[in-house]
Structure formats: C-alpha cells, structure tokens
C-alpha cells in the first residue's frame, strides 16, 4: 500500500469527509480531553501550545484552501479531456460503459446497487488497488472490496491508523 498520494489508499476515509471538518472537529474537542492537573511547567507549555495551535490553525486553513484549488484545477482538466467511452469488465463477465477520466469506481458501483457503493471500501482496476473516487483511465477490469475481504479490511485499518496517528499528535499538543 502506498501513502502520500492524492489517489492513494490513505485518502479513502478523508475523501468521504471534508478535511476541514475533521481537523476542526478534533481541534475543538481535544482541549476538553485533558484531565491532568495543571502544574507551572504545564502552564508554560500551554502558552507554547497556544502559539503552536494558532500557527496550526493558520496553516491548516491555508493547506485546505490550496488543496481545494488544486483539486478544482484537476477536476477542470479532467472535464476538458475527451471523455471517450470505455468498457469496464466486471468479475461476472458483464461489461459496463463509462467515460475515460470521468467515470469512477464509485459511480459504477452506484449504477449496480446503492448498497454496493456504500459498502465498498476500495476497488481493484486491472489488478491494482484503486481509490473509489479516482477516475478510470481506460478500458479495464474492475472489482470491489468491502470490509469482509482482506483488501477491504487492510484499507480500513490502514486509513484508521493514519487517523489515529493524527489524533494522537493533536492530543500531545494539548496535553
């Protein structure tokens, strides 16, 4: 599994939620989680953490804004591409029609059944694990994986580990 790629597996959970709501939700809740007694050393750290928090608040907003701008530019580029018809072969041998650089595995799953789209955590395109929201690039074989499969479970736990790591780093800022 690969991290740090827009279309990588680590973005599965975050794409279904907005980055800003995740960050701000945790930033609002975390100060209330600390139940440790406050010492003078802790008070000094709190002042430092307040500065850190102010910096993070500014940086996070800027990064979210930059991400949205880049995402919008990529979406516009994708829409400008040909959108040529592609054939998507399912595991049962049936063939679905899609559009190059526009159809996503999520869209195909939704055509088949709403439950398939909502339960699928990751897809596989031509033998390669593929984010549900990443556009298809051409004719392909497509499979879907839910939590009952090794691929689905691995994706879920991998993404969860990143989220827990982020929360842990935020908790350490306020503790």
């Amino acid at each position: 599994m690969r991290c740090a790629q827009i279309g990588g597996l680590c973005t599965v959970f975050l794409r279904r939620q907005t980055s800003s709501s995740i960050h701000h939700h945790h930033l609002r809740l975390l100060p209330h989680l600390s139940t440790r007694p406050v010492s003078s050393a802790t008070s000094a750290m709190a002042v430092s953490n307040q500065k850190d928090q102010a910096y993070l608040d500014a940086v996070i907003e800027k990064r979210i804004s930059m991400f949205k701008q880049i995402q919008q530019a990529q979406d516009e580029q994708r829409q400008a591409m040909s959108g040529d018809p592609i054939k998507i072969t399912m595991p049962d041998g049936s063939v679905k029609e899609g559009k190059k650089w526009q159809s996503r595995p999520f869209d195909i799953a939704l055509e088949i059944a709403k439950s398939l789209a909502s339960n699928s955590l990751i897809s596989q395109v031509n033998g390669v694990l593929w984010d549900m929201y990443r556009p298809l690039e051409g004719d392909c074989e497509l499979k879907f994986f839910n939590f009952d499969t090794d691929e689905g479970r691995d994706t879920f736990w991998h993404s969860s580990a990143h989220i827990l790591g982020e929360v842990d780093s935020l908790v350490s800022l306020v503790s």
Side-chain angles (χ1 to χ4, degrees), residues 9 28 30 38 63 76-77 80 83 99 109 115 138 148 153 155 162 167 173:
L9 302 178
R28 280 196 310 267
L30 291 177
V38 178
R63 288 182 181 176
E76 289 170 4
Q77 283 177 329
K99 290 187 178 181
S115 61
D148 296 332
R153 261 190 316 280
T155 299
H162 283 277
V167 170
L173 284 175

Side-chain angles (χ1 to χ4, degrees), residues 1-173:
M1 290 188 197
R2 294 180 296 175
C3 305
Q5 290 188 0
I6 296 297
L9 302 178
C10 302
T11 60
V12 171
F13 177 80
L14 295 178
R15 283 225 178 128
R16 292 186 181 173
Q17 305 288 327
T18 62
S19 297
S20 59
S21 68
I22 290 171
H23 287 291
H24 291 297
H25 174 72
H26 289 301
L27 292 176
R28 280 196 310 267
L29 293 179
L30 291 177
H32 304 293
L33 295 177
S34 179
T35 58
R36 297 179 184 166
V38 178
S39 67
S40 60
T42 305
S43 295
M45 285 179 22
V47 171
S48 174
N49 285 341
Q50 288 172 354
K51 290 178 184 177
D52 290 343
Q53 188 62 49
Y55 171 77
L56 287 174
D57 287 342
V59 169
I60 288 171
E61 286 301 320
K62 183 177 179 180
R63 288 182 181 176
I64 290 170
S65 174
M66 288 175 62
F67 175 81
K68 286 181 179 179
Q69 289 173 353
I70 292 168
Q71 186 180 34
Q72 182 180 358
Q74 288 176 347
D75 287 344
E76 289 170 4
Q77 283 177 329
R78 226 180 304 20
Q79 292 300 326
M81 291 182 180
S82 65
D84 291 334
I86 58 172
K87 293 182 181 187
I88 303 155
T89 306
M90 305 306 295
D92 66 0
S94 65
V95 177
K96 302 285 183 188
E97 291 290 323
K99 290 187 178 181
K100 187 177 186 177
W101 294 106
Q102 294 176 12
S103 298
R104 307 168 301 170
F106 181 81
D107 302 325
I108 305 305
L110 197 56
E111 282 181 25
I112 296 169
K114 187 176 179 180
S115 61
L116 178 62
S118 64
N119 290 328
S120 295
L121 300 171
I122 192 78
S123 64
Q124 186 180 62
V125 175
N126 294 333
V128 176
L129 290 179
W130 201 271
D131 188 274
M132 292 290 291
Y133 295 93
R134 180 177 170 188
L136 299 170
E137 299 171 2
D139 293 344
C140 62
E141 294 179 4
L142 178 63
K143 294 180 184 177
F144 299 104
F145 300 104
N146 62 23
F147 191 78
D148 296 332
T149 64
D150 289 341
E151 294 86 353
R153 261 190 316 280
D154 289 349
T155 299
F156 176 84
W157 291 120
H158 183 90
S159 297
S160 297
H162 283 277
I163 294 165
L164 288 173
E166 178 70 15
V167 170
D168 182 52
S169 66
L170 292 173
V171 168
S172 67
L173 284 175

